Amino acid sequence: MSLDAQLTFADHMARFCARRYSYPPMVGRVLGYLAVCDSPAPTIADLSNALLASRTAITNAIATLESVGQVVRTRAAGERMDRVSIDITSARGLGMDNTEYAELGALAREGLELLRDAPPERRAVLGEIAAFTDFLCSRIPALYEEWRKEREALIAAGEIPSPQTEGRRP
């Protein structure tokens, strides 16, 4: 695959991530490029050169992606630079980390406590958020486990590479 095709894909990912997650374009470009680049774990300098961006911009994008569990940095013994790869197994990166929903639910219940004497109409939004987050917290663990089993079956069938050969996770 040519570098131009890789960069085009990275730009498409940047637009998607900006539209769906309000990420700065560089965050999506880094994620998109990591998904299609030849190196399974490029360095920050490699990313900077390929994406024609400053190391600072790349480092900031990686920090954002790390904060949501979508990439990991590694450093082999004796190396003096970080390598970056996509983490496709992280519950957090897949949106299946219940702590986010549990925190939002607790915040909604805190607001409901503040509004305990308010009319039901005023409490409605927070009540629905609390109920929805409770629903997610009860259902996501089973869904995540179902995905893990499906992933194992796909690996066993050879439809996706095993973690040892995929080169996208240390």
Side-chain angles (χ1 to χ4, degrees), residues 115-154:
L115 297 176
R116 71 177 161 267
D117 297 327
E121 302 82 33
R122 189 158 172 218
R123 297 170 43 93
V125 170
L126 290 174
E128 189 162 339
I129 290 170
F132 182 63
T133 56
D134 288 346
F135 170 80
L136 289 175
C137 286
S138 71
R139 300 292 292 274
I140 286 176
L143 184 61
Y144 185 53
E145 185 57 31
E146 187 178 331
W147 164 244
R148 289 175 41 149
K149 288 178 182 174
E150 176 69 14
R151 184 174 188 265
E152 289 173 14
L154 292 169

PDB file of all heavy atoms in Angstrom, residues 115-154:
ATOM      1  N   LEU A 115     -31.815  17.641  43.736  1.00  0.00           N
ATOM      2  CA  LEU A 115     -33.152  17.987  43.262  1.00  0.00           C
ATOM      3  C   LEU A 115     -34.251  17.142  43.923  1.00  0.00           C
ATOM      4  O   LEU A 115     -35.358  17.029  43.391  1.00  0.00           O
ATOM      5  CB  LEU A 115     -33.218  17.813  41.740  1.00  0.00           C
ATOM      6  CG  LEU A 115     -32.318  18.701  40.907  1.00  0.00           C
ATOM      7  CD1 LEU A 115     -32.417  18.342  39.428  1.00  0.00           C
ATOM      8  CD2 LEU A 115     -32.657  20.173  41.131  1.00  0.00           C
ATOM      9  N   ARG A 116     -33.972  16.543  45.062  1.00  0.00           N
ATOM     10  CA  ARG A 116     -34.925  15.598  45.664  1.00  0.00           C
ATOM     11  C   ARG A 116     -36.300  16.222  45.927  1.00  0.00           C
ATOM     12  O   ARG A 116     -37.306  15.535  45.899  1.00  0.00           O
ATOM     13  CB  ARG A 116     -34.339  14.972  46.921  1.00  0.00           C
ATOM     14  CG  ARG A 116     -34.222  15.890  48.097  1.00  0.00           C
ATOM     15  CD  ARG A 116     -33.699  15.128  49.338  1.00  0.00           C
ATOM     16  NE  ARG A 116     -33.181  16.073  50.298  1.00  0.00           N
ATOM     17  CZ  ARG A 116     -31.908  16.440  50.372  1.00  0.00           C
ATOM     18  NH1 ARG A 116     -31.026  15.902  49.568  1.00  0.00           N
ATOM     19  NH2 ARG A 116     -31.514  17.322  51.258  1.00  0.00           N
ATOM     20  N   ASP A 117     -36.355  17.527  46.182  1.00  0.00           N
ATOM     21  CA  ASP A 117     -37.640  18.179  46.444  1.00  0.00           C
ATOM     22  C   ASP A 117     -38.207  18.858  45.197  1.00  0.00           C
ATOM     23  O   ASP A 117     -39.267  19.488  45.275  1.00  0.00           O
ATOM     24  CB  ASP A 117     -37.485  19.218  47.565  1.00  0.00           C
ATOM     25  CG  ASP A 117     -37.079  18.572  48.894  1.00  0.00           C
ATOM     26  OD1 ASP A 117     -37.503  17.422  49.140  1.00  0.00           O
ATOM     27  OD2 ASP A 117     -36.340  19.210  49.664  1.00  0.00           O
ATOM     28  N   ALA A 118     -37.519  18.720  44.077  1.00  0.00           N
ATOM     29  CA  ALA A 118     -37.966  19.361  42.834  1.00  0.00           C
ATOM     30  C   ALA A 118     -39.073  18.535  42.187  1.00  0.00           C
ATOM     31  O   ALA A 118     -39.197  17.330  42.444  1.00  0.00           O
ATOM     32  CB  ALA A 118     -36.788  19.503  41.869  1.00  0.00           C
ATOM     33  N   PRO A 119     -39.858  19.158  41.315  1.00  0.00           N
ATOM     34  CA  PRO A 119     -40.905  18.408  40.609  1.00  0.00           C
ATOM     35  C   PRO A 119     -40.291  17.338  39.703  1.00  0.00           C
ATOM     36  O   PRO A 119     -39.153  17.473  39.241  1.00  0.00           O
ATOM     37  CB  PRO A 119     -41.623  19.472  39.779  1.00  0.00           C
ATOM     38  CG  PRO A 119     -41.011  20.774  40.095  1.00  0.00           C
ATOM     39  CD  PRO A 119     -39.835  20.564  40.983  1.00  0.00           C
ATOM     40  N   PRO A 120     -41.034  16.270  39.430  1.00  0.00           N
ATOM     41  CA  PRO A 120     -40.532  15.175  38.598  1.00  0.00           C
ATOM     42  C   PRO A 120     -40.014  15.628  37.235  1.00  0.00           C
ATOM     43  O   PRO A 120     -39.041  15.075  36.733  1.00  0.00           O
ATOM     44  CB  PRO A 120     -41.734  14.248  38.445  1.00  0.00           C
ATOM     45  CG  PRO A 120     -42.636  14.573  39.577  1.00  0.00           C
ATOM     46  CD  PRO A 120     -42.389  16.016  39.926  1.00  0.00           C
ATOM     47  N   GLU A 121     -40.636  16.626  36.649  1.00  0.00           N
ATOM     48  CA  GLU A 121     -40.197  17.107  35.333  1.00  0.00           C
ATOM     49  C   GLU A 121     -38.763  17.634  35.391  1.00  0.00           C
ATOM     50  O   GLU A 121     -38.005  17.498  34.441  1.00  0.00           O
ATOM     51  CB  GLU A 121     -41.120  18.235  34.824  1.00  0.00           C
ATOM     52  CG  GLU A 121     -42.574  17.871  34.707  1.00  0.00           C
ATOM     53  CD  GLU A 121     -43.331  17.960  36.035  1.00  0.00           C
ATOM     54  OE1 GLU A 121     -43.028  18.822  36.894  1.00  0.00           O
ATOM     55  OE2 GLU A 121     -44.220  17.120  36.222  1.00  0.00           O
ATOM     56  N   ARG A 122     -38.426  18.271  36.502  1.00  0.00           N
ATOM     57  CA  ARG A 122     -37.076  18.821  36.650  1.00  0.00           C
ATOM     58  C   ARG A 122     -36.051  17.727  36.913  1.00  0.00           C
ATOM     59  O   ARG A 122     -34.886  17.856  36.578  1.00  0.00           O
ATOM     60  CB  ARG A 122     -37.064  19.837  37.787  1.00  0.00           C
ATOM     61  CG  ARG A 122     -35.772  20.605  37.863  1.00  0.00           C
ATOM     62  CD  ARG A 122     -35.938  21.897  38.588  1.00  0.00           C
ATOM     63  NE  ARG A 122     -34.642  22.510  38.791  1.00  0.00           N
ATOM     64  CZ  ARG A 122     -34.295  23.160  39.874  1.00  0.00           C
ATOM     65  NH1 ARG A 122     -35.163  23.343  40.842  1.00  0.00           N
ATOM     66  NH2 ARG A 122     -33.086  23.663  39.977  1.00  0.00           N
ATOM     67  N   ARG A 123     -36.473  16.609  37.477  1.00  0.00           N
ATOM     68  CA  ARG A 123     -35.587  15.488  37.789  1.00  0.00           C
ATOM     69  C   ARG A 123     -35.493  14.479  36.645  1.00  0.00           C
ATOM     70  O   ARG A 123     -34.670  13.581  36.669  1.00  0.00           O
ATOM     71  CB  ARG A 123     -36.104  14.760  39.040  1.00  0.00           C
ATOM     72  CG  ARG A 123     -36.112  15.615  40.293  1.00  0.00           C
ATOM     73  CD  ARG A 123     -36.848  14.937  41.457  1.00  0.00           C
ATOM     74  NE  ARG A 123     -36.552  13.543  41.631  1.00  0.00           N
ATOM     75  CZ  ARG A 123     -35.607  13.052  42.436  1.00  0.00           C
ATOM     76  NH1 ARG A 123     -34.872  13.868  43.141  1.00  0.00           N
ATOM     77  NH2 ARG A 123     -35.407  11.752  42.518  1.00  0.00           N
ATOM     78  N   ALA A 124     -36.300  14.639  35.620  1.00  0.00           N
ATOM     79  CA  ALA A 124     -36.452  13.633  34.568  1.00  0.00           C
ATOM     80  C   ALA A 124     -35.145  13.304  33.847  1.00  0.00           C
ATOM     81  O   ALA A 124     -34.820  12.130  33.655  1.00  0.00           O
ATOM     82  CB  ALA A 124     -37.519  14.073  33.562  1.00  0.00           C
ATOM     83  N   VAL A 125     -34.399  14.314  33.446  1.00  0.00           N
ATOM     84  CA  VAL A 125     -33.169  14.056  32.676  1.00  0.00           C
ATOM     85  C   VAL A 125     -32.173  13.261  33.510  1.00  0.00           C
ATOM     86  O   VAL A 125     -31.642  12.244  33.058  1.00  0.00           O
ATOM     87  CB  VAL A 125     -32.547  15.381  32.175  1.00  0.00           C
ATOM     88  CG1 VAL A 125     -31.161  15.148  31.599  1.00  0.00           C
ATOM     89  CG2 VAL A 125     -33.454  16.037  31.145  1.00  0.00           C
ATOM     90  N   LEU A 126     -31.934  13.711  34.738  1.00  0.00           N
ATOM     91  CA  LEU A 126     -30.981  13.000  35.592  1.00  0.00           C
ATOM     92  C   LEU A 126     -31.487  11.602  35.956  1.00  0.00           C
ATOM     93  O   LEU A 126     -30.704  10.658  36.041  1.00  0.00           O
ATOM     94  CB  LEU A 126     -30.694  13.799  36.857  1.00  0.00           C
ATOM     95  CG  LEU A 126     -29.877  15.081  36.652  1.00  0.00           C
ATOM     96  CD1 LEU A 126     -29.782  15.870  37.953  1.00  0.00           C
ATOM     97  CD2 LEU A 126     -28.502  14.754  36.118  1.00  0.00           C
ATOM     98  N   GLY A 127     -32.792  11.460  36.138  1.00  0.00           N
ATOM     99  CA  GLY A 127     -33.358  10.145  36.424  1.00  0.00           C
ATOM    100  C   GLY A 127     -33.144   9.177  35.277  1.00  0.00           C
ATOM    101  O   GLY A 127     -32.801   8.008  35.484  1.00  0.00           O
ATOM    102  N   GLU A 128     -33.318   9.677  34.065  1.00  0.00           N
ATOM    103  CA  GLU A 128     -33.107   8.802  32.908  1.00  0.00           C
ATOM    104  C   GLU A 128     -31.631   8.467  32.726  1.00  0.00           C
ATOM    105  O   GLU A 128     -31.288   7.332  32.386  1.00  0.00           O
ATOM    106  CB  GLU A 128     -33.669   9.442  31.637  1.00  0.00           C
ATOM    107  CG  GLU A 128     -33.655   8.461  30.490  1.00  0.00           C
ATOM    108  CD  GLU A 128     -34.569   8.839  29.349  1.00  0.00           C
ATOM    109  OE1 GLU A 128     -35.511   9.615  29.535  1.00  0.00           O
ATOM    110  OE2 GLU A 128     -34.309   8.316  28.245  1.00  0.00           O
ATOM    111  N   ILE A 129     -30.756   9.426  32.958  1.00  0.00           N
ATOM    112  CA  ILE A 129     -29.314   9.141  32.866  1.00  0.00           C
ATOM    113  C   ILE A 129     -28.934   8.070  33.887  1.00  0.00           C
ATOM    114  O   ILE A 129     -28.208   7.125  33.569  1.00  0.00           O
ATOM    115  CB  ILE A 129     -28.475  10.430  33.046  1.00  0.00           C
ATOM    116  CG1 ILE A 129     -28.651  11.346  31.840  1.00  0.00           C
ATOM    117  CG2 ILE A 129     -26.998  10.084  33.265  1.00  0.00           C
ATOM    118  CD1 ILE A 129     -28.052  12.729  32.024  1.00  0.00           C
ATOM    119  N   ALA A 130     -29.416   8.201  35.119  1.00  0.00           N
ATOM    120  CA  ALA A 130     -29.103   7.209  36.153  1.00  0.00           C
ATOM    121  C   ALA A 130     -29.633   5.830  35.756  1.00  0.00           C
ATOM    122  O   ALA A 130     -28.924   4.824  35.887  1.00  0.00           O
ATOM    123  CB  ALA A 130     -29.687   7.641  37.495  1.00  0.00           C
ATOM    124  N   ALA A 131     -30.845   5.781  35.247  1.00  0.00           N
ATOM    125  CA  ALA A 131     -31.423   4.496  34.837  1.00  0.00           C
ATOM    126  C   ALA A 131     -30.658   3.893  33.657  1.00  0.00           C
ATOM    127  O   ALA A 131     -30.389   2.684  33.631  1.00  0.00           O
ATOM    128  CB  ALA A 131     -32.897   4.680  34.479  1.00  0.00           C
ATOM    129  N   PHE A 132     -30.305   4.738  32.692  1.00  0.00           N
ATOM    130  CA  PHE A 132     -29.586   4.243  31.519  1.00  0.00           C
ATOM    131  C   PHE A 132     -28.202   3.726  31.892  1.00  0.00           C
ATOM    132  O   PHE A 132     -27.781   2.659  31.429  1.00  0.00           O
ATOM    133  CB  PHE A 132     -29.479   5.334  30.456  1.00  0.00           C
ATOM    134  CG  PHE A 132     -28.796   4.900  29.198  1.00  0.00           C
ATOM    135  CD1 PHE A 132     -29.342   3.902  28.397  1.00  0.00           C
ATOM    136  CD2 PHE A 132     -27.596   5.467  28.803  1.00  0.00           C
ATOM    137  CE1 PHE A 132     -28.717   3.483  27.234  1.00  0.00           C
ATOM    138  CE2 PHE A 132     -26.962   5.056  27.639  1.00  0.00           C
ATOM    139  CZ  PHE A 132     -27.520   4.069  26.855  1.00  0.00           C
ATOM    140  N   THR A 133     -27.487   4.436  32.744  1.00  0.00           N
ATOM    141  CA  THR A 133     -26.154   3.970  33.129  1.00  0.00           C
ATOM    142  C   THR A 133     -26.246   2.684  33.947  1.00  0.00           C
ATOM    143  O   THR A 133     -25.396   1.810  33.807  1.00  0.00           O
ATOM    144  CB  THR A 133     -25.360   5.055  33.880  1.00  0.00           C
ATOM    145  OG1 THR A 133     -26.104   5.496  35.027  1.00  0.00           O
ATOM    146  CG2 THR A 133     -25.054   6.246  32.979  1.00  0.00           C
ATOM    147  N   ASP A 134     -27.279   2.558  34.776  1.00  0.00           N
ATOM    148  CA  ASP A 134     -27.479   1.295  35.503  1.00  0.00           C
ATOM    149  C   ASP A 134     -27.714   0.149  34.515  1.00  0.00           C
ATOM    150  O   ASP A 134     -27.182  -0.949  34.681  1.00  0.00           O
ATOM    151  CB  ASP A 134     -28.659   1.394  36.469  1.00  0.00           C
ATOM    152  CG  ASP A 134     -28.362   2.268  37.674  1.00  0.00           C
ATOM    153  OD1 ASP A 134     -27.179   2.595  37.917  1.00  0.00           O
ATOM    154  OD2 ASP A 134     -29.331   2.633  38.369  1.00  0.00           O
ATOM    155  N   PHE A 135     -28.528   0.407  33.491  1.00  0.00           N
ATOM    156  CA  PHE A 135     -28.799  -0.587  32.455  1.00  0.00           C
ATOM    157  C   PHE A 135     -27.495  -1.000  31.773  1.00  0.00           C
ATOM    158  O   PHE A 135     -27.213  -2.195  31.609  1.00  0.00           O
ATOM    159  CB  PHE A 135     -29.793  -0.004  31.436  1.00  0.00           C
ATOM    160  CG  PHE A 135     -29.965  -0.833  30.206  1.00  0.00           C
ATOM    161  CD1 PHE A 135     -30.781  -1.956  30.208  1.00  0.00           C
ATOM    162  CD2 PHE A 135     -29.318  -0.489  29.026  1.00  0.00           C
ATOM    163  CE1 PHE A 135     -30.944  -2.722  29.062  1.00  0.00           C
ATOM    164  CE2 PHE A 135     -29.480  -1.239  27.881  1.00  0.00           C
ATOM    165  CZ  PHE A 135     -30.293  -2.363  27.892  1.00  0.00           C
ATOM    166  N   LEU A 136     -26.683  -0.003  31.369  1.00  0.00           N
ATOM    167  CA  LEU A 136     -25.419  -0.320  30.701  1.00  0.00           C
ATOM    168  C   LEU A 136     -24.495  -1.118  31.612  1.00  0.00           C
ATOM    169  O   LEU A 136     -23.876  -2.093  31.178  1.00  0.00           O
ATOM    170  CB  LEU A 136     -24.719   0.961  30.237  1.00  0.00           C
ATOM    171  CG  LEU A 136     -25.366   1.700  29.075  1.00  0.00           C
ATOM    172  CD1 LEU A 136     -24.635   3.019  28.817  1.00  0.00           C
ATOM    173  CD2 LEU A 136     -25.374   0.847  27.821  1.00  0.00           C
ATOM    174  N   CYS A 137     -24.399  -0.704  32.861  1.00  0.00           N
ATOM    175  CA  CYS A 137     -23.512  -1.408  33.801  1.00  0.00           C
ATOM    176  C   CYS A 137     -23.949  -2.848  34.023  1.00  0.00           C
ATOM    177  O   CYS A 137     -23.105  -3.714  34.277  1.00  0.00           O
ATOM    178  CB  CYS A 137     -23.440  -0.662  35.127  1.00  0.00           C
ATOM    179  SG  CYS A 137     -22.445   0.848  35.034  1.00  0.00           S
ATOM    180  N   SER A 138     -25.226  -3.115  33.904  1.00  0.00           N
ATOM    181  CA  SER A 138     -25.686  -4.491  34.085  1.00  0.00           C
ATOM    182  C   SER A 138     -25.500  -5.333  32.824  1.00  0.00           C
ATOM    183  O   SER A 138     -25.361  -6.549  32.907  1.00  0.00           O
ATOM    184  CB  SER A 138     -27.161  -4.512  34.510  1.00  0.00           C
ATOM    185  OG  SER A 138     -28.003  -4.121  33.443  1.00  0.00           O
ATOM    186  N   ARG A 139     -25.467  -4.713  31.655  1.00  0.00           N
ATOM    187  CA  ARG A 139     -25.422  -5.462  30.396  1.00  0.00           C
ATOM    188  C   ARG A 139     -24.035  -5.547  29.763  1.00  0.00           C
ATOM    189  O   ARG A 139     -23.733  -6.508  29.065  1.00  0.00           O
ATOM    190  CB  ARG A 139     -26.370  -4.815  29.389  1.00  0.00           C
ATOM    191  CG  ARG A 139     -27.825  -4.759  29.812  1.00  0.00           C
ATOM    192  CD  ARG A 139     -28.504  -6.108  29.885  1.00  0.00           C
ATOM    193  NE  ARG A 139     -28.690  -6.746  28.620  1.00  0.00           N
ATOM    194  CZ  ARG A 139     -29.716  -6.553  27.815  1.00  0.00           C
ATOM    195  NH1 ARG A 139     -30.674  -5.739  28.161  1.00  0.00           N
ATOM    196  NH2 ARG A 139     -29.785  -7.181  26.675  1.00  0.00           N
ATOM    197  N   ILE A 140     -23.206  -4.554  29.951  1.00  0.00           N
ATOM    198  CA  ILE A 140     -21.914  -4.512  29.265  1.00  0.00           C
ATOM    199  C   ILE A 140     -20.992  -5.674  29.629  1.00  0.00           C
ATOM    200  O   ILE A 140     -20.348  -6.226  28.736  1.00  0.00           O
ATOM    201  CB  ILE A 140     -21.236  -3.146  29.441  1.00  0.00           C
ATOM    202  CG1 ILE A 140     -21.960  -2.132  28.545  1.00  0.00           C
ATOM    203  CG2 ILE A 140     -19.750  -3.198  29.122  1.00  0.00           C
ATOM    204  CD1 ILE A 140     -21.465  -0.717  28.671  1.00  0.00           C
ATOM    205  N   PRO A 141     -20.889  -6.078  30.885  1.00  0.00           N
ATOM    206  CA  PRO A 141     -19.980  -7.203  31.168  1.00  0.00           C
ATOM    207  C   PRO A 141     -20.307  -8.459  30.345  1.00  0.00           C
ATOM    208  O   PRO A 141     -19.403  -9.107  29.815  1.00  0.00           O
ATOM    209  CB  PRO A 141     -20.151  -7.441  32.668  1.00  0.00           C
ATOM    210  CG  PRO A 141     -20.567  -6.105  33.204  1.00  0.00           C
ATOM    211  CD  PRO A 141     -21.454  -5.519  32.130  1.00  0.00           C
ATOM    212  N   ALA A 142     -21.575  -8.782  30.217  1.00  0.00           N
ATOM    213  CA  ALA A 142     -21.956  -9.960  29.429  1.00  0.00           C
ATOM    214  C   ALA A 142     -21.655  -9.740  27.950  1.00  0.00           C
ATOM    215  O   ALA A 142     -21.178 -10.649  27.258  1.00  0.00           O
ATOM    216  CB  ALA A 142     -23.430 -10.275  29.628  1.00  0.00           C
ATOM    217  N   LEU A 143     -21.905  -8.552  27.451  1.00  0.00           N
ATOM    218  CA  LEU A 143     -21.632  -8.250  26.050  1.00  0.00           C
ATOM    219  C   LEU A 143     -20.130  -8.314  25.765  1.00  0.00           C
ATOM    220  O   LEU A 143     -19.696  -8.870  24.744  1.00  0.00           O
ATOM    221  CB  LEU A 143     -22.184  -6.872  25.694  1.00  0.00           C
ATOM    222  CG  LEU A 143     -22.068  -6.442  24.247  1.00  0.00           C
ATOM    223  CD1 LEU A 143     -22.817  -7.393  23.329  1.00  0.00           C
ATOM    224  CD2 LEU A 143     -22.601  -5.026  24.082  1.00  0.00           C
ATOM    225  N   TYR A 144     -19.336  -7.785  26.683  1.00  0.00           N
ATOM    226  CA  TYR A 144     -17.878  -7.828  26.508  1.00  0.00           C
ATOM    227  C   TYR A 144     -17.384  -9.274  26.522  1.00  0.00           C
ATOM    228  O   TYR A 144     -16.540  -9.658  25.707  1.00  0.00           O
ATOM    229  CB  TYR A 144     -17.191  -6.996  27.591  1.00  0.00           C
ATOM    230  CG  TYR A 144     -15.696  -6.895  27.411  1.00  0.00           C
ATOM    231  CD1 TYR A 144     -15.139  -6.472  26.209  1.00  0.00           C
ATOM    232  CD2 TYR A 144     -14.841  -7.208  28.452  1.00  0.00           C
ATOM    233  CE1 TYR A 144     -13.770  -6.371  26.053  1.00  0.00           C
ATOM    234  CE2 TYR A 144     -13.470  -7.110  28.297  1.00  0.00           C
ATOM    235  CZ  TYR A 144     -12.939  -6.698  27.099  1.00  0.00           C
ATOM    236  OH  TYR A 144     -11.575  -6.602  26.942  1.00  0.00           O
ATOM    237  N   GLU A 145     -17.907 -10.079  27.421  1.00  0.00           N
ATOM    238  CA  GLU A 145     -17.516 -11.489  27.474  1.00  0.00           C
ATOM    239  C   GLU A 145     -17.935 -12.208  26.192  1.00  0.00           C
ATOM    240  O   GLU A 145     -17.189 -13.027  25.650  1.00  0.00           O
ATOM    241  CB  GLU A 145     -18.122 -12.182  28.704  1.00  0.00           C
ATOM    242  CG  GLU A 145     -17.664 -13.602  28.881  1.00  0.00           C
ATOM    243  CD  GLU A 145     -16.154 -13.764  28.985  1.00  0.00           C
ATOM    244  OE1 GLU A 145     -15.454 -12.865  29.492  1.00  0.00           O
ATOM    245  OE2 GLU A 145     -15.650 -14.818  28.534  1.00  0.00           O
ATOM    246  N   GLU A 146     -19.114 -11.873  25.682  1.00  0.00           N
ATOM    247  CA  GLU A 146     -19.568 -12.458  24.421  1.00  0.00           C
ATOM    248  C   GLU A 146     -18.616 -12.072  23.282  1.00  0.00           C
ATOM    249  O   GLU A 146     -18.271 -12.910  22.435  1.00  0.00           O
ATOM    250  CB  GLU A 146     -20.990 -11.970  24.114  1.00  0.00           C
ATOM    251  CG  GLU A 146     -21.629 -12.628  22.931  1.00  0.00           C
ATOM    252  CD  GLU A 146     -23.051 -12.138  22.707  1.00  0.00           C
ATOM    253  OE1 GLU A 146     -23.730 -11.744  23.679  1.00  0.00           O
ATOM    254  OE2 GLU A 146     -23.481 -12.150  21.538  1.00  0.00           O
ATOM    255  N   TRP A 147     -18.165 -10.822  23.270  1.00  0.00           N
ATOM    256  CA  TRP A 147     -17.206 -10.395  22.241  1.00  0.00           C
ATOM    257  C   TRP A 147     -15.886 -11.150  22.390  1.00  0.00           C
ATOM    258  O   TRP A 147     -15.302 -11.585  21.411  1.00  0.00           O
ATOM    259  CB  TRP A 147     -16.956  -8.890  22.278  1.00  0.00           C
ATOM    260  CG  TRP A 147     -15.720  -8.541  21.503  1.00  0.00           C
ATOM    261  CD1 TRP A 147     -14.571  -8.007  21.977  1.00  0.00           C
ATOM    262  CD2 TRP A 147     -15.486  -8.786  20.104  1.00  0.00           C
ATOM    263  NE1 TRP A 147     -13.641  -7.899  20.971  1.00  0.00           N
ATOM    264  CE2 TRP A 147     -14.180  -8.368  19.814  1.00  0.00           C
ATOM    265  CE3 TRP A 147     -16.243  -9.328  19.080  1.00  0.00           C
ATOM    266  CZ2 TRP A 147     -13.619  -8.469  18.541  1.00  0.00           C
ATOM    267  CZ3 TRP A 147     -15.690  -9.428  17.803  1.00  0.00           C
ATOM    268  CH2 TRP A 147     -14.391  -8.988  17.553  1.00  0.00           C
ATOM    269  N   ARG A 148     -15.404 -11.315  23.609  1.00  0.00           N
ATOM    270  CA  ARG A 148     -14.140 -12.029  23.808  1.00  0.00           C
ATOM    271  C   ARG A 148     -14.224 -13.452  23.275  1.00  0.00           C
ATOM    272  O   ARG A 148     -13.293 -13.930  22.630  1.00  0.00           O
ATOM    273  CB  ARG A 148     -13.759 -12.019  25.286  1.00  0.00           C
ATOM    274  CG  ARG A 148     -13.321 -10.627  25.745  1.00  0.00           C
ATOM    275  CD  ARG A 148     -13.061 -10.571  27.209  1.00  0.00           C
ATOM    276  NE  ARG A 148     -12.353 -11.764  27.639  1.00  0.00           N
ATOM    277  CZ  ARG A 148     -11.495 -11.802  28.630  1.00  0.00           C
ATOM    278  NH1 ARG A 148     -11.242 -10.730  29.302  1.00  0.00           N
ATOM    279  NH2 ARG A 148     -10.907 -12.924  28.966  1.00  0.00           N
ATOM    280  N   LYS A 149     -15.352 -14.117  23.502  1.00  0.00           N
ATOM    281  CA  LYS A 149     -15.535 -15.469  22.978  1.00  0.00           C
ATOM    282  C   LYS A 149     -15.617 -15.452  21.454  1.00  0.00           C
ATOM    283  O   LYS A 149     -15.053 -16.323  20.787  1.00  0.00           O
ATOM    284  CB  LYS A 149     -16.785 -16.110  23.572  1.00  0.00           C
ATOM    285  CG  LYS A 149     -16.609 -16.477  25.029  1.00  0.00           C
ATOM    286  CD  LYS A 149     -17.871 -17.060  25.618  1.00  0.00           C
ATOM    287  CE  LYS A 149     -17.659 -17.370  27.092  1.00  0.00           C
ATOM    288  NZ  LYS A 149     -18.885 -17.808  27.733  1.00  0.00           N
ATOM    289  N   GLU A 150     -16.318 -14.481  20.906  1.00  0.00           N
ATOM    290  CA  GLU A 150     -16.411 -14.352  19.446  1.00  0.00           C
ATOM    291  C   GLU A 150     -15.030 -14.090  18.854  1.00  0.00           C
ATOM    292  O   GLU A 150     -14.662 -14.665  17.828  1.00  0.00           O
ATOM    293  CB  GLU A 150     -17.368 -13.208  19.080  1.00  0.00           C
ATOM    294  CG  GLU A 150     -17.460 -12.917  17.600  1.00  0.00           C
ATOM    295  CD  GLU A 150     -18.148 -14.012  16.791  1.00  0.00           C
ATOM    296  OE1 GLU A 150     -18.798 -14.892  17.379  1.00  0.00           O
ATOM    297  OE2 GLU A 150     -18.036 -13.970  15.547  1.00  0.00           O
ATOM    298  N   ARG A 151     -14.238 -13.248  19.514  1.00  0.00           N
ATOM    299  CA  ARG A 151     -12.887 -12.952  19.042  1.00  0.00           C
ATOM    300  C   ARG A 151     -12.034 -14.218  19.053  1.00  0.00           C
ATOM    301  O   ARG A 151     -11.299 -14.481  18.104  1.00  0.00           O
ATOM    302  CB  ARG A 151     -12.254 -11.865  19.907  1.00  0.00           C
ATOM    303  CG  ARG A 151     -10.885 -11.422  19.446  1.00  0.00           C
ATOM    304  CD  ARG A 151     -10.402 -10.228  20.277  1.00  0.00           C
ATOM    305  NE  ARG A 151      -9.188  -9.681  19.713  1.00  0.00           N
ATOM    306  CZ  ARG A 151      -7.970 -10.014  20.112  1.00  0.00           C
ATOM    307  NH1 ARG A 151      -7.796 -10.872  21.102  1.00  0.00           N
ATOM    308  NH2 ARG A 151      -6.908  -9.478  19.533  1.00  0.00           N
ATOM    309  N   GLU A 152     -12.134 -14.989  20.117  1.00  0.00           N
ATOM    310  CA  GLU A 152     -11.388 -16.250  20.196  1.00  0.00           C
ATOM    311  C   GLU A 152     -11.788 -17.186  19.059  1.00  0.00           C
ATOM    312  O   GLU A 152     -10.937 -17.856  18.466  1.00  0.00           O
ATOM    313  CB  GLU A 152     -11.608 -16.923  21.547  1.00  0.00           C
ATOM    314  CG  GLU A 152     -10.918 -16.206  22.696  1.00  0.00           C
ATOM    315  CD  GLU A 152     -11.280 -16.796  24.058  1.00  0.00           C
ATOM    316  OE1 GLU A 152     -11.843 -17.915  24.116  1.00  0.00           O
ATOM    317  OE2 GLU A 152     -10.998 -16.127  25.065  1.00  0.00           O
ATOM    318  N   ALA A 153     -13.084 -17.250  18.759  1.00  0.00           N
ATOM    319  CA  ALA A 153     -13.561 -18.107  17.664  1.00  0.00           C
ATOM    320  C   ALA A 153     -13.038 -17.608  16.320  1.00  0.00           C
ATOM    321  O   ALA A 153     -12.648 -18.413  15.459  1.00  0.00           O
ATOM    322  CB  ALA A 153     -15.088 -18.156  17.658  1.00  0.00           C
ATOM    323  N   LEU A 154     -13.012 -16.309  16.132  1.00  0.00           N
ATOM    324  CA  LEU A 154     -12.483 -15.745  14.882  1.00  0.00           C
ATOM    325  C   LEU A 154     -10.995 -16.032  14.736  1.00  0.00           C
ATOM    326  O   LEU A 154     -10.511 -16.331  13.645  1.00  0.00           O
ATOM    327  CB  LEU A 154     -12.750 -14.232  14.820  1.00  0.00           C
ATOM    328  CG  LEU A 154     -14.211 -13.820  14.673  1.00  0.00           C
ATOM    329  CD1 LEU A 154     -14.371 -12.318  14.902  1.00  0.00           C
ATOM    330  CD2 LEU A 154     -14.749 -14.220  13.312  1.00  0.00           C
TER     331      LEU A 154
END
